[in-house]
């Protein structure tokens, strides 16, 4: 047996597991040469993405890789019927399969993976970092599809080369067999022919599988291209119908203009007034058509629609009639001066408490220069919460405090709690869901990752009637639970897990989890989820944040819905940046309100007073034209405090979140030492303290893992970490299991009994 000074490896595939069609992964047991004392040892091998890695056991795949070899630069050789030799860059693996057939399967898989790895190495144009996470451009989609198809075609080409190679070898063996005369020699040659035939069969099967993958992918994307083409046809039809409507309105305006002088000829000043009024009418109608046209393509079940604001005369005329359109035949329930019914604006019975004077500034941010790319370039594809980052890229707030910032515009919920109409209430809830993003427009710094068991309270009961509590409840994946109860008639709770990926040019932040809101008097229970946030220009340029995606808010008591669309920024779009549009519909799907605005400035609502059906697209979708009243303001962003650019662009609420409070629990984020040092501008000390806290947390985790392992060895059940103030329960509305507040925090604060709290700082 030939040995290598660099190590030998042999692997026996008890069950080499080829991955499903379309996958590049191949797994199985092989025997690997270790040393002269131990010889061949059984190891679990995984072939994936051009890399061959091995582990002692399958369980080690989750945490410990024993070695990896890159096939792009590796040489593959076969010593005998069962051995495989891989060498690359001074490293050699001597592997042994249990049978010749298994050896041939591995050789075929390794050759295919090597060919693909070489192609990937030669093609350095990594398009993954250039694609926007929420881009729906047909061009980028087609380019990505073509790239996949080309890759599959290359696989077919590689299989074809292998078939030609092994076919030629088989033919040579057959030719030699024909010229044999000695029976003993014939037996050896026949064995070689059988081996060649087996290899040829395995390669042919790989060719067939690759062909099947190619055809399946081609059929799938052919249907997608057909849908994309159909969509473009519908859009063209939509534009043609819109132009036709504009032409009809233009003709009617011309007729009105010609008739105006004869109607008011008896009044000398009337022509001037009517001329101005006609001009104003024409401008308003034209601008409404040009600027207020909305396309809700992302809403699969919603028709595309156009909004047209009614003129004053039209509003007055229709308000005297009995409409049967989208308003449900009850126009008089709508206040012309304010879109909210009187009950929504009623503040009677609410005593205005004198507000406590809170701080209005924090120390200015120090001017430390540090290259973000020098740190992030080694973290591409990793989970953001697992990247060790200096405080230079943080802001002196934790993720728990950022969750609490959702309450910046709590008065929207106070107002919604007083609404008699659930549809009007839905408009305010939608505005509240959008308002939580307004504080992020300039906030490109990263909040501190909370330690396990860290909490944050915000008690504004005396000033605004609510109390808020957050707790970091799970270590992996890290999740935070939040509970708010207001004396003004509402309760909000959520469990949020932040999934984030760094892609080279941008950072995607995807909040996972549902937000629940319940109003005490009506029992209306609203549920929605957050959209994806993207931080751009990580490598070069000024950092900026975009929000994109769809939010569906559902009132589970009445089945009313609100569909919100956050439009991603596009250089080629003529829409205003950060645009948000939405439709509020009743339980039967009838639209009642149109919402529009931007997530960094304001949201307006307009009540639909009439709807008309346009033409139908090829898929049967009808275009709807909504005529609305003039939009009314629901929410407007507060201006930032003076000197905000030097105070991390904190809002007025954010400036107070680290303000010291008497009697808070020892695990409160206000007391976190590295965060306090950073706010004071002592960043070097903050970095040292941050490393100490993280190492302390790792030591606690290792101890907990050791306890779990000991309990498992003894056959005992290990409970694991349990949060102090939240417990898991199944939600009766959504059916999901999440952490909800179990009570006891505010009672413990009143007694100042924190004996049950761990020392995490």
């Amino acid at each position: 047996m030939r040995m290598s000074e660099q190590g030998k490896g042999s692997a026996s595939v008890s069950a080499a597991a080829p991955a499903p069609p379309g996958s590049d992964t191949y797994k199985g047991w092989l025997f690997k040469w270790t040393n002269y004392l131990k010889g061949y040892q059984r190891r679990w091998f995984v072939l994936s993405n051009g890399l061959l890695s091995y582990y002692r056991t399958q369980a080690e795949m989750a945490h410990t890789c024993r070695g990896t070899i890159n096939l792009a630069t590796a040489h593959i050789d076969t010593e005998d019927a069962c051995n495989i030799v891989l060498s690359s860059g001074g490293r050699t693996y001597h592997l042994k399969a249990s049978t010749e057939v298994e050896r041939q399967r591995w050789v075929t898989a390794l050759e295919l993976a090597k060919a693909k790895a070489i192609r990937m190495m030669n093609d350095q144009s990594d398009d993954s970092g250039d694609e926007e996470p929420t881009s729906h451009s047909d061009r980028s989609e087609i380019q990505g599809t073509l790239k996949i198809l080309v890759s599959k075609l290359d696989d077919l080409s590689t299989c074809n080369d292998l078939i030609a190679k092994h076919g030629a070898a088989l033919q040579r063996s057959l030719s030699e067999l024909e010229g044999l005369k000695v029976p003993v020699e014939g037996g050896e040659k026949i064995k070689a022919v059988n081996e060649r035939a087996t290899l040829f069969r395995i390669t042919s099967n790989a060719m067939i599988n690759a062909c099947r993958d190619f055809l399946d992918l081609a059929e799938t994307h052919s249907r997608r291209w057909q849908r994309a083409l159909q969509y473009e046809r519908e859009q063209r039809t939509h534009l043609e119908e819109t132009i036709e409507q504009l032409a009809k309105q233009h003709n009617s305006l011309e007729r009105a203009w010609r008739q105006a002088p004869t109607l008011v000829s008896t009044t000398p000043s009337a022509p001037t007034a009517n001329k101005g009024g006609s001009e104003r009418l024409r401008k308003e109608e034209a601008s409404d058509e040009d600027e207020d046209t909305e396309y809700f393509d992302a809403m699969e079940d919603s028709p595309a629609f156009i909004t047209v604001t009614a003129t004053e005369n039209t509003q007055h005329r229709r308000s005297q009639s009995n409409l049967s359109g989208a308003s449900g035949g009850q126009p008089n329930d709508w206040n012309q001066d304010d879109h909210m019914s009187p009950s929504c604006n009623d503040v009677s019975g609410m005593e205005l408490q004198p507000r406590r004077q809170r701080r209005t500034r924090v120390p200015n941010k120090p001017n430390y220069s540090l290259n973000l790319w020098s740190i992030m370039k080694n973290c591409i594809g990793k989970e953001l919460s697992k990247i060790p980052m200096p405080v230079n890229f943080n802001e002196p707030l934790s993720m728990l405090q950022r969750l609490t910032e959702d309450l910046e515009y709590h008065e929207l919920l106070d107002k919604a709690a007083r609404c008699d109409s659930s549809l009007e209430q839905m408009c305010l809830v939608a505005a509240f869901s959008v308002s939580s993003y307004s504080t992020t427009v300039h906030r490109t710094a990263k909040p501190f990752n909370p330690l396990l068991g860290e909490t944050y309270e915000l008690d504004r009961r005396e000033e605004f009637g609510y109390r808020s509590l957050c707790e970091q409840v799970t270590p992996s994946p890290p999740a935070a639970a939040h509970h708010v109860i207001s004396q003004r008639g509402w309760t909000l709770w959520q469990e949020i897990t932040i999934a984030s990926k760094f892609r080279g040019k941008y950072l995607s932040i995807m909040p996972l989890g549902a937000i629940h809101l319940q109003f005490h008097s009506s029992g209306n229970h609203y549920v929605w989820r957050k959209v994806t946030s993207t931080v751009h220009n990580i490598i070069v340029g000024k950092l900026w944040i975009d929000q994109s995606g769809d939010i569906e808010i559902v009132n589970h008591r009445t089945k009313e819905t609100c569909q919100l669309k956050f439009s991603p920024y596009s250089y080629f779009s003529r829409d205003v940046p950060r645009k948000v549009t939405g439709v509020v519909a009743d339980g039967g799907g009838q639209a009642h309100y149109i919402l529009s605005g931007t997530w960094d400035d304001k949201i307006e609502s307009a009540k639909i007073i009439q709807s008309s059906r346009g033409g139908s697209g090829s898929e049967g979708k009808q275009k709807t034209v909504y005529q609305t009243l003039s939009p009314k303001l629901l929410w407007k962003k507060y201006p930032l405090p003076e000197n905000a650019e030097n105070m991390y662009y904190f809002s007025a609420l954010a400036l107070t979140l680290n303000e010291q409070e008497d009697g808070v629990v020892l695990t409160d984020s206000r007391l976190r030492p590295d965060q306090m040092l950073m706010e004071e501008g002592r960043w070097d000390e903050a970095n040292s303290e941050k490393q100490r806290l993280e190492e302390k947390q790792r030591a606690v985790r290792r101890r907990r893992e050791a306890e779990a392992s000991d309990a498992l060895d003894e056959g005992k059940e290990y409970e694991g970490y349990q949060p102090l103030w939240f417990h898991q329960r199944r939600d009766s509305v959504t059916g999901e299991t999440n952490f909800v507040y179990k009570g006891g925090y505010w009672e413990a604060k009143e007694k100042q009994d924190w004996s049950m709290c761990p020392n995490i700082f």
Side-chain angles (χ1 to χ4, degrees), residues 705-723:
E705 290 174 351
E707 292 173 354
S709 178
D710 293 342
L712 182 62
D713 294 340
E714 297 173 3
K716 299 178 180 179
E717 184 176 349
Y718 183 73
E719 185 179 20
Y721 177 80
Q722 296 297 324

Side-chain angles (χ1 to χ4, degrees), residues 367-627:
N367 187 19
Y368 285 104
S369 60
L370 192 62
N371 186 2
L372 178 60
W373 178 243
S374 65
I375 296 175
M376 298 295 285
K377 65 183 180 181
N378 297 320
C379 306
I380 295 177
K382 294 183 180 179
E383 176 69 29
L384 182 63
S385 61
K386 298 180 180 178
I387 298 175
M389 299 283 286
V391 300
N392 304 55
F393 301 120
N394 284 37
E395 61 180 17
L397 291 177
S398 75
M399 182 59 72
L400 302 181
Q401 291 167 306
R402 288 293 292 268
L403 274 180
T404 307
E405 279 193 75
D406 288 356
L407 302 174
E408 178 95 27
Y409 299 94
H410 60 88
E411 64 273 9
L412 289 171
L413 301 184
D414 297 342
K415 189 175 182 180
R418 301 191 298 271
C419 282
D420 294 329
S421 167
S422 58
L423 289 170
E424 294 176 5
Q425 190 177 75
M426 175 69 84
C427 292
L428 290 167
V429 172
F432 174 79
S433 70
V434 175
S435 70
S436 62
Y437 297 98
S438 64
T439 61
T440 67
V441 63
H442 300 297
R443 304 271 289 279
T444 56
K446 174 182 176 291
F448 280 79
N449 292 327
L451 304 175
L452 184 62
E454 185 174 336
T455 61
Y456 182 76
E457 70 156 73
L458 187 68
D459 190 349
R460 294 290 192 269
R461 187 173 57 172
E462 293 184 359
E463 299 157 272
F464 304 117
Y466 70 83
R467 277 177 163 177
S468 167
L469 177 66
C470 294
E471 182 180 6
Q472 190 76 4
V473 292
T474 61
S476 181
H482 185 202
H483 181 268
V484 191
I485 185 167
S486 173
Q487 294 177 330
R488 299 180 182 177
W490 53 269
T491 300
L492 181 145
W493 67 96
Q494 60 180 318
E495 178 192 330
I496 296 294
T497 300
I498 302 296
S500 52
K501 289 292 183 180
F502 176 57
R503 299 299 187 185
K505 288 188 177 181
Y506 61 85
L507 180 71
S508 296
I509 303 170
M510 297 147 289
L512 308 176
I515 304 172
H516 295 255
L517 172 65
Q518 188 167 27
F519 291 98
H520 303 163
S521 59
S522 63
N524 289 334
H525 187 158
Y526 298 87
V527 179
W528 70 93
R529 301 175 189 272
K530 290 180 175 286
V531 296
T532 298
S533 301
T534 307
V535 183
H536 295 271
N537 289 348
I538 297 294
I539 298 178
V540 64
K542 183 179 180 181
L543 294 176
W544 60 280
I545 292 181
D546 194 22
Q547 315 287 348
S548 56
D550 298 330
I551 292 179
E552 181 184 38
I553 307 175
V554 180
N555 183 344
H556 285 272
R557 190 184 71 85
T558 64
K559 306 306 178 184
E560 295 163 351
T561 61
C562 175
Q563 302 282 350
L564 290 173
K565 179 178 178 61
F566 288 65
S567 301
Y569 174 80
S570 173
Y571 178 80
F572 302 100
S573 175
R574 293 192 296 176
D575 284 337
V576 294
R578 311 180 186 96
K579 183 178 181 181
V580 179
T581 51
V583 178
V584 175
D586 59 24
Q590 178 69 51
H592 287 260
Y593 296 97
I594 300 297
L595 305 180
S596 61
T598 59
W599 54 262
D600 68 326
D601 184 27
K602 64 179 180 180
I603 290 293
E604 297 177 331
S605 70
K607 183 165 185 178
I608 300 170
I609 59 173
Q610 191 176 35
S611 63
S612 60
R613 300 296 181 182
S616 298
S618 56
E619 293 185 1
K621 291 184 178 180
Q622 287 186 311
K623 309 298 190 302
T624 305
V625 179
Y626 291 130
Q627 189 168 23

Side-chain angles (χ1 to χ4, degrees), residues 27 44 46 53-66 386 476 705:
K27 304 175 183 178
W44 179 256
V46 177
S53 306
Y54 74 92
Y55 311 84
R56 287 185 178 175
T57 63
Q58 296 185 44
E60 276 193 351
M61 291 177 61
H63 50 82
T64 304
C65 177
R66 299 294 174 175
K386 298 180 180 178
S476 181
E705 290 174 351

Side-chain angles (χ1 to χ4, degrees), residues 271-289:
T272 304
N274 275 286
K275 179 178 180 181
S278 299
E279 289 178 350
R280 183 176 67 253
L281 176 65
R282 180 162 52 189
K283 290 179 180 178
E284 287 177 356
E285 298 245 1
S287 63
D288 286 336
E289 284 293 323

